[in-house]
Amino acid sequence: MEDILNNDRIRIGRHIAELRKEKGISQIELAELSGVGSSHIARIETGKYSVGIDTLAKIGSVFGKEITFQEKLFRHPEKKETEWTKAPK
């Protein structure tokens, strides 16, 4: 379970970094625009910190994004890359 949480934390952090770079702003600028500390932004982007919903919403608002939840899909290792299934319950 911890591996899944670590992977999600890294994935979210990378996505935030990508959005920030696409917008052409620095971590400091993102911090100022979102009201989140710049060192906090850095830890989130590198996956060293698990971001809370409130902080994620503040960061998302800078990019015009909102928090949504999707069904997680898993690729079967023995099947073609395009074949996905819903996560087991």
Side-chain angles (χ1 to χ4, degrees):
M1 181 68 164
E2 190 166 323
D3 285 343
I4 291 171
L5 295 176
N6 287 336
N7 289 339
D8 284 344
R9 192 171 59 226
I10 290 167
R11 180 182 52 79
I12 289 168
R14 285 182 182 162
H15 188 65
I16 290 170
E18 287 171 13
L19 289 170
R20 178 181 56 75
K21 290 172 185 174
E22 286 174 11
K23 191 168 177 76
I25 60 175
S26 68
Q27 288 180 342
I28 293 171
E29 290 169 313
L30 177 56
E32 290 170 354
L33 292 168
S34 65
V36 176
S38 60
S39 61
H40 200 58
I41 297 287
R43 287 192 305 270
I44 291 168
E45 286 189 0
T46 57
K48 293 185 170 129
Y49 181 79
S50 182
V51 62
I53 297 290
D54 294 339
T55 301
L56 190 56
K58 288 178 185 179
I59 293 169
S61 70
V62 173
F63 306 114
K65 306 284 184 183
E66 61 181 30
I67 299 168
T68 60
F69 295 92
Q70 299 176 8
E71 282 191 59
K72 193 164 190 165
L73 300 175
F74 292 90
R75 184 171 58 86
H76 289 285
E78 69 277 358
K79 293 187 177 182
K80 293 180 185 175
E81 197 168 315
T82 57
E83 292 185 43
W84 296 83
T85 186
K86 291 181 182 177
K89 293 185 179 188

